[in-house]
Amino acid sequence: YFSWEVLRFLLSNLRMWIEDYRFDGFRFDGVTSMLYHHHGIGTGFSGDYNEYFGLHVDEDALCYLMLANHMIKFLYPECITIAEDVSGMPALCRPVAEGGGGFDYRLAMAIPDKWIQIIKELKDEDWNMGNIVHTLTNRRYKEKYIAYAESHDQALVGDKTLAFRLMDAEMYTNMSVLSPLTPVIDRGIQLHKMIRLITHALGGESYLNFMGNEFGHPEWLDFPRKGNNESYHYARRQFNLTEDHLLRYRFLNAFDRDMNNLEERFGWLASPPAYVSEKHESNKVIAFERADLIFIFNFHPYRSYVDYRVVIWHASLTVVFKYKILLDSDAAEYGGHQRLDHNTEYFSEEYPHNYRPNSLMV
């Protein structure tokens, strides 16, 4: 139960951080535990509306969150608020005036968990394209989500980053360009790029990265504590790794840079959700369109494809569209194998494919 004194204290806290410390946004941690009297403990959320409306909802907490968002938006319109909610409470990220919770974004927390689960539990040939697409697109319509490929928790002691899960100990011995490109490092570098791009392009309306993840930081993060004799050794990020031209970390960093620059140019995060035209289980291919771009991912562990036809959702029946490669994870500057000719031009055709009238051969 919130008394008005507690409410005033919490709301004035928000105002203090903005006015005294110039905060430009807040991530509300553990919102799920506030929204329900059961705190989300031992509760599975299927999406059924009965799970979100009833006596188990903590109306005092919900009222506080609505008041907090209303106050922040009223006094500081540029301030952003983000909810960490695993329950999928409807309208949590719609304006208070609509009866919503008032948050701008919510974290797409299922996405990093899904990538870890896939890498830990499945062989490459068992990856499920439909399940990946479902996880990346399973979000409430007209509510904005922040997609991220890996979380800060994964870099802490006892867990591993995506890069370390993919390449593990070989990151200490085989990341030099002077050493042969081993199957483990090759697979790890290529999947690291693809996982980040498909998360960025398909997973939400914003993208979050934690320091070091963009170049596949090889070590965990650990702060001084009794358990490590108050050591600062792992309380760091080795940004020097990206500056060493003899190390392959720079390939991952260059890809991250160009991926973000491409989004800046075309604005897919601010575009409507993608149209997914293909999630082919045996070919291990995912294809979709967003912001007038066609994204094609081949997750097959050993098969490449020539003359592969994909749907064009936005193509006109009267105008021929020309496409060129803008970002290629297989390019040499990203540690790839240069299997695609970037001078090739691809043209839309009035050729039915996957139940659509227009397609493209790539």
Side-chain angles (χ1 to χ4, degrees):
Y1 174 75
F2 282 106
S3 69
W4 275 101
E5 288 77 14
V6 172
L7 264 181
R8 287 173 179 271
F9 171 73
L10 292 172
L11 293 173
S12 63
N13 241 329
L14 293 168
R15 187 166 188 173
M16 178 203 70
W17 287 111
I18 296 171
E19 294 192 347
D20 293 352
Y21 293 93
R22 298 294 186 260
F23 273 37
D24 57 5
F26 296 94
R27 166 185 171 267
F28 283 66
D29 189 82
V31 165
T32 308
S33 65
M34 294 177 63
L35 289 172
Y36 310 95
H37 292 296
H38 55 59
H39 308 300
I41 298 170
T43 306
F45 292 93
S46 66
D48 187 285
Y49 278 4
N50 291 311
E51 297 164 354
Y52 308 107
F53 303 104
L55 296 177
H56 54 285
V57 174
D58 189 329
E59 292 182 350
D60 287 332
L62 182 57
C63 182
Y64 158 68
L65 292 172
M66 293 170 74
L67 277 172
N69 281 306
H70 174 71
M71 183 200 77
I72 290 169
K73 294 292 180 298
F74 180 76
L75 295 175
Y76 319 98
E78 300 298 314
C79 202
I80 291 173
T81 57
I82 302 163
E84 187 198 41
D85 169 45
V86 295
S87 74
M89 167 69 84
L92 191 64
C93 299
R94 294 302 299 173
V96 173
E98 295 181 2
F103 285 97
D104 293 298
Y105 297 91
R106 73 167 104 220
L107 292 169
M109 300 172 70
I111 296 175
D113 291 345
K114 174 56 65 176
W115 289 123
I116 287 297
Q117 181 230 329
I118 289 171
I119 292 169
K120 281 174 68 173
E121 299 177 7
L122 299 179
K123 298 175 183 175
D124 289 359
E125 55 267 30
D126 294 333
W127 285 30
N128 185 299
M129 301 297 104
N131 187 245
I132 290 171
V133 168
H134 174 75
T135 303
L136 289 167
T137 57
N138 182 26
R139 52 188 187 268
R140 296 219 172 264
Y141 186 59
K142 294 289 185 180
E143 296 192 45
K144 292 188 285 191
Y145 282 65
I146 295 176
Y148 52 119
E150 55 189 313
S151 77
H152 62 290
D153 294 334
Q154 290 166 222
L156 298 176
V157 173
D159 210 337
K160 296 178 180 179
T161 61
L162 268 181
F164 213 52
R165 281 204 180 278
L166 288 165
M167 296 177 272
D168 216 31
E170 286 204 24
M171 295 189 80
Y172 293 118
T173 56
N174 296 324
M175 285 298 272
S176 169
V177 296
L178 301 178
S179 63
L181 183 61
T182 66
V184 168
I185 296 296
D186 190 19
R187 170 184 176 271
I189 284 179
Q190 311 318 329
L191 281 177
H192 197 270
K193 290 177 289 188
M194 293 171 69
I195 287 170
R196 304 181 75 71
L197 179 58
I198 197 170
T199 301
H200 203 310
L202 191 58
E205 288 67 42
S206 181
Y207 181 75
L208 174 64
N209 180 66
F210 290 95
M211 286 193 301
N213 292 355
E214 68 275 15
F215 60 89
H217 198 278
E219 290 179 342
W220 54 90
L221 186 66
D222 192 15
F223 299 102
R225 54 190 173 85
K226 286 183 179 179
N228 63 14
N229 295 321
E230 305 295 340
S231 171
Y232 281 87
H233 182 71
Y234 290 107
R236 60 176 182 168
R237 275 289 172 262
Q238 301 177 74
F239 293 105
N240 58 295
L241 294 174
T242 63
E243 297 157 13
D244 189 334
H245 281 251
L246 292 178
L247 295 178
R248 294 187 166 102
Y249 296 98
R250 66 183 174 92
F251 298 141
L252 295 173
N253 198 52
F255 183 79
D256 198 82
R257 176 199 65 210
D258 292 347
M259 173 177 71
N260 283 299
N261 284 340
L262 190 66
E263 195 288 323
E264 187 78 15
R265 179 177 164 192
F266 287 91
W268 64 68
L269 290 172
S271 299
Y275 169 72
V276 181
S277 61
E278 183 163 337
K279 36 193 176 182
H280 201 297
E281 296 304 341
S282 57
N283 289 347
K284 299 294 179 221
V285 170
I286 294 171
F288 59 89
E289 280 181 78
R290 195 175 185 188
D292 294 328
L293 298 172
I294 300 175
F295 295 85
I296 308 169
F297 293 84
N298 175 13
F299 282 100
H300 202 286
Y302 54 84
R303 283 178 63 185
S304 294
Y305 302 101
V306 179
D307 295 337
Y308 199 92
R309 189 169 289 280
V310 293
V311 162
I312 307 176
W313 173 260
H314 291 295
S316 164
L317 292 173
T318 56
V319 179
V320 174
F321 286 76
K322 181 174 76 175
Y323 293 84
K324 294 200 72 170
I325 295 172
L326 293 176
L327 185 65
D328 172 19
S329 66
D330 200 41
E333 61 264 37
Y334 311 135
H337 298 280
Q338 296 177 268
R339 286 169 285 203
L340 297 177
D341 182 357
H342 288 210
N343 294 316
T344 306
E345 295 178 336
Y346 307 89
F347 297 92
S348 64
E349 298 176 82
E350 194 177 332
Y351 190 103
H353 183 65
N354 282 355
Y355 310 103
R356 299 299 304 165
N358 296 290
S359 60
L360 184 80
M361 187 78 87
V362 293

